[in-house]
Amino acid sequence: MIRRKRPFRMGLCALILATASLVLGLINSLEGGSRGYENYDLLYCLGMGLLLFVGLSLVSYSVSRNNTLAKLGRLVFLTYLRSKGK
């Protein structure tokens, strides 16, 4: 049986980390100049978007098992467990 509190915590931490990183980067770039937001790379935006998506899928998996996003969250969490050797 998979413990269901851990995916919620992991997803919530990923969502908080990605959101805080995006907000702090945006605030710092706006303080630096009016067009400072153009310093974001495509790779950075894709990485933060992926982190948001994974966090959302993990939270969705811990809340409900029926939707497609929850199935993706289950896949992410099982991959995490396999990598830890549990």
Side-chain angles (χ1 to χ4, degrees), residues 30-78:
L30 289 177
E31 287 177 354
S34 63
R35 302 196 70 165
Y37 61 87
E38 292 177 349
N39 292 333
Y40 282 135
D41 284 357
L42 177 66
L43 193 60
Y44 174 77
C45 290
L46 286 175
M48 286 299 118
L50 182 66
L51 190 61
L52 282 169
F53 187 70
V54 167
L56 186 62
S57 67
L58 284 170
V59 169
S60 178
Y61 169 62
S62 64
V63 172
S64 170
R65 290 186 185 187
N66 297 332
N67 59 8
T68 306
L69 198 57
K71 291 177 184 175
L72 180 66
R74 182 177 189 273
L75 178 70
V76 168
F77 187 63
L78 289 177

Side-chain angles (χ1 to χ4, degrees), residues 13-30:
C13 288
L15 287 173
I16 289 171
L17 178 69
T19 305
S21 176
L22 286 172
V23 167
L24 288 176
L26 186 62
I27 289 172
N28 286 336
S29 68
L30 289 177

